[in-house]
């Protein structure tokens, strides 16, 4: 299990940020003081989910508009039908730690 430091929690703005960890491009979402990490690449095509708009816990893909629940990676609307990987997150001494093994994918 590999927990990697994504950065200082306070440094992340509300909403989405792109994070590169262990060769994976991840989308980190800050909602108030909670953090969620999913694969950054939309399961429909090659759009970056960290650049999408966030509505409550749903991020809207900027390319074709599929919405994914950032807590589960599951698409809630078409055209995406497949989930994106999710990654465990914990805050340690003010740092956002991500378990890069948890997603099981390289998206
Ligand atoms: S690339 Fe995301 S919905 Fe098409």
């Amino acid at each position: 299990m590999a927990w990697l430091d994504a950065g200082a929690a306070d440094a992340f703005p509300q909403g989405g940020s792109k994070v590169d960890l262990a060769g994976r491009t991840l989308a980190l979402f800050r909602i108030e003081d909670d953090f969620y990490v999913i694969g950054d690449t939309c399961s429909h095509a090659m759009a970056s989910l960290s650049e999408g708009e966030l509505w409550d816990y749903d991020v809207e893909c900027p390319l074709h508009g599929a919405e994914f629940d950032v807590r589960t990676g599951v698409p809630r609307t078409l055209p995406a039908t497949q989930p994106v990987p999710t990654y465990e997150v914990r805050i340690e001494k003010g740092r956002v730690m991500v378990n890069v093994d948890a997603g099981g994918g390289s998206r």
Side-chain angles (χ1 to χ4, degrees):
M1 190 177 287
W3 288 89
L4 298 181
D5 187 340
D10 286 350
F12 288 102
Q14 296 291 321
S17 299
K18 190 179 293 188
V19 176
D20 289 311
L21 282 179
R24 298 179 185 191
T25 304
L26 308 177
L28 182 151
F29 295 94
R30 179 177 183 177
I31 301 172
E32 301 299 336
D33 285 328
D34 293 326
F35 292 84
Y36 304 91
V37 175
I38 61 176
D40 187 51
T41 304
C42 181
S43 61
H44 179 241
M46 294 302 290
S48 172
L49 293 176
S50 60
E51 296 171 11
E53 260 193 85
L54 197 59
W55 307 92
D56 294 325
Y57 291 96
D58 292 344
V59 61
E60 182 180 37
C61 176
L63 195 53
H64 305 117
E67 292 179 16
F68 293 85
D69 188 321
V70 300
R71 299 167 295 184
T72 63
V74 172
R76 298 167 71 86
T77 61
L78 295 172
T81 58
Q82 298 299 312
V84 293
T86 57
Y87 297 85
E88 291 178 274
V89 183
R90 68 183 184 213
I91 306 300
E92 239 177 63
K93 297 179 181 168
R95 310 291 296 183
V96 180
M97 304 299 294
V98 180
N99 181 357
V100 293
D101 293 335
S106 58
R107 293 175 192 276

